Amino acid sequence: MIPDYTFEAAALKRGASIVAGVDEVGRGPLAGPVTAAAVILDPLNIPDGLNDSKQLTAPRREALAHWLMTHCDWSVAHVGVDEIDRINIYHASHAAMCRAIAGLRQRPCLVLVDGNRVPGDLSCPGEAIVKGDARSVTIAAASIIAKVLRDRIMVDLAQQHPGYGWETNAGYPTPAHRQALLDLGITPHHRRSFAPVHNILCKAPLASA
């Protein structure tokens, strides 16, 4: 499956003039923020190779992210671990998406949202698209920016807290990361509401992810 402009073209045909896409990355990690990006593409100037960020090599993601951030109206929002622990990761993901949309220079007529639900606090009409990052080029563009910028944060945090492998695992619960939790302890950047971290705090055995 390769994303295309079908959803965007349908919205424009219905009368929309500005269509944005939004996606988040970082729901599953044990550490770091959840990050959302929003993008508005120029239908006459869409780069080749846009795809779900997970399907791209790191150099290709970086190159596309640079192009998108240079040529498009885009915005990013990060929700940190304190807020994730307070409101839960589902609501934190939606909050990040709403904030990313609010940060765009232009107000969209429609937002294409990756997933099966439109965030309740979205400031404009939205359309949820399951597996949207593999079906819509605008959502794919958002997924690329979100992943690249979150990965950069995790590389920076890895330099501050070596040993957890965040520069390669981006905070996800790999076996090495889970072992480092036991050996090195919990950092301020770990999500205390997530079971593997919570169980250590409670002195319980490390639960399976």
Side-chain angles (χ1 to χ4, degrees):
M1 183 184 298
I2 298 176
D4 59 27
Y5 202 72
T6 299
F7 292 97
E8 295 84 345
L12 295 174
K13 189 174 181 179
R14 294 194 301 268
S17 58
I18 299 174
V19 179
V22 67
D23 195 11
E24 54 76 23
V25 64
R27 287 183 66 158
L30 303 180
V34 61
T35 297
V39 180
I40 297 171
L41 292 177
D42 177 354
L44 301 179
N45 190 23
I46 297 175
D48 293 333
L50 291 178
N51 203 343
D52 172 5
S53 63
K54 299 183 291 296
Q55 301 300 317
L56 302 171
T57 63
R60 185 60 178 151
R61 277 196 304 269
E62 286 281 352
L64 284 168
H66 177 76
W67 191 98
L68 292 164
M69 291 188 287
T70 301
H71 293 89
C72 298
D73 184 355
W74 67 278
S75 172
V76 68
H78 309 282
V79 173
V81 294
D82 289 344
E83 190 169 357
I84 291 170
D85 287 340
R86 188 172 72 251
I87 65 175
N88 78 41
I89 188 61
Y90 173 81
H91 290 106
S93 299
H94 278 200
M97 288 193 278
C98 290
R99 293 170 195 174
I101 289 294
L104 292 167
R105 295 190 303 271
Q106 305 168 80
R107 180 179 172 83
C109 303
L110 179 70
V111 179
L112 303 178
V113 180
D114 183 49
N116 59 5
R117 290 192 178 184
V118 173
D121 293 333
L122 200 64
S123 58
C124 46
E127 177 183 348
I129 303 174
V130 175
K131 299 188 183 301
D133 49 7
R135 301 170 68 192
S136 156
V137 286
T138 308
I139 296 177
S143 79
I144 290 167
I145 292 176
K147 178 162 177 57
V148 165
L149 295 185
R150 186 182 185 278
D151 282 355
R152 290 178 187 175
I153 288 174
M154 297 310 296
V155 169
D156 288 342
L157 291 178
Q159 294 173 355
Q160 301 171 35
H161 300 275
Y164 297 91
W166 293 343
E167 67 277 12
T168 55
N169 64 40
Y172 281 86
T174 62
H177 185 186
R178 292 161 65 88
Q179 187 60 47
L181 275 171
L182 294 174
D183 296 341
L184 303 175
I186 294 166
T187 73
H189 303 288
H190 278 104
R191 302 174 182 178
R192 283 155 170 75
S193 58
F194 278 44
V197 180
H198 177 77
N199 290 343
I200 291 175
L201 289 170
C202 295
K203 307 300 183 184
L206 193 64
S208 60

